[in-house]
Amino acid sequence: MYSTDLAEVYEMVYRSRGKDWAAEAEAVADLARGHAPDADSLLDVACGTAAHLGPFGKLFTTVEGLEIAAPMRELALRRRPGLTIHEGDMRDFDLGRTYSVVTCMFCAIGYLGSVEEMRSAIASMSRHLEPGGVLVVEPWWFPEQFSEGFVAGDLAREGDRTVARISHSTLQGRATRMEVRFLVGEPGGIRTFTEIDVLTLFTREEYESAFRDAGCSVAYRPGDPTGRGLFVGVKEGGR
């Protein structure tokens, strides 16, 4: 996971599905300001290629990202010079400041391997919130939503590059093991690579408990942006 090969085609594949990071960023900003109207700073945890972080930069005075994977971080900075993206692990990071809003989007929380790791990540995010600040986390699927043997396929074309992506999901313990094969065609030839993604199927109750124990209220909003919904919490101590 998080290879240079993946970083180069990641956004392209999801654009072919109609994913609109800018629209999602606007919706999250509106949601956050519904709880904290004066919110003016944001940290995007596991920001990847900065597909959300870039649009967030037009909506908040201060935006920063956190990303553990060097290929994602390097590509983000190359595409969007001037962004502040910290190298760090969501489970135990300490940036020495707080923000009005902390986000963790597009199921990145699911890559953590245990409930304890997820709880540590939520606690770390909460520590970086101002009193009354807003935490927004997009989960992976809940256990009851898992579909054994699920196959997905995409075909994306942009400029002189064509990418085919096929994934196959199986249950591994209490996680989704997703084998993802890519076929990339470019003027220089055709190449293939495979990614193995393992995403834990945390329960709704486990997420909610993690929020509350980290000092945040919590509400689950099903549906958008990708069908998995959002958990939204407000840090204790606000007016």
Side-chain angles (χ1 to χ4, degrees), residues 100-162:
S100 307
V101 183
V102 175
T103 59
C104 184
M105 300 296 293
F106 210 11
C107 319
I109 195 89
Y111 286 94
L112 300 179
S114 67
V115 173
E116 291 73 22
E117 289 185 350
M118 182 270 285
R119 289 176 59 85
S120 293
I122 296 295
S124 293
M125 294 179 211
S126 178
R127 285 194 299 270
H128 286 77
L129 277 174
E130 303 166 355
V134 182
L135 175 59
V136 180
V137 175
E138 182 178 2
W140 181 238
W141 300 111
F142 301 142
E144 64 272 18
Q145 297 169 316
F146 175 77
S147 180
E148 178 70 28
F150 182 78
V151 174
D154 302 276
L155 181 64
R157 295 188 179 94
E158 289 185 3
D160 58 4
R161 174 182 283 169
T162 297

Side-chain angles (χ1 to χ4, degrees), residues 61-106:
T61 302
T62 301
V63 297
E64 298 180 2
L66 181 86
E67 176 55 49
I68 192 172
M72 294 286 190
R73 198 169 57 247
E74 291 163 3
L75 182 60
L77 292 172
R78 190 164 68 247
R79 289 180 175 174
R80 300 171 175 88
L83 287 179
T84 298
I85 301 179
H86 305 275
E87 178 182 1
D89 187 322
M90 72 168 78
R91 293 168 292 188
D92 60 4
F93 67 99
D94 182 0
L95 303 182
R97 64 155 296 175
T98 57
Y99 303 82
S100 307
V101 183
V102 175
T103 59
C104 184
M105 300 296 293
F106 210 11

Side-chain angles (χ1 to χ4, degrees), residues 21-41:
W21 286 274
E24 291 179 11
E26 290 178 7
V28 169
D30 289 345
L31 177 62
R33 289 194 171 112
H35 297 280
D38 298 326
D40 66 351
S41 60

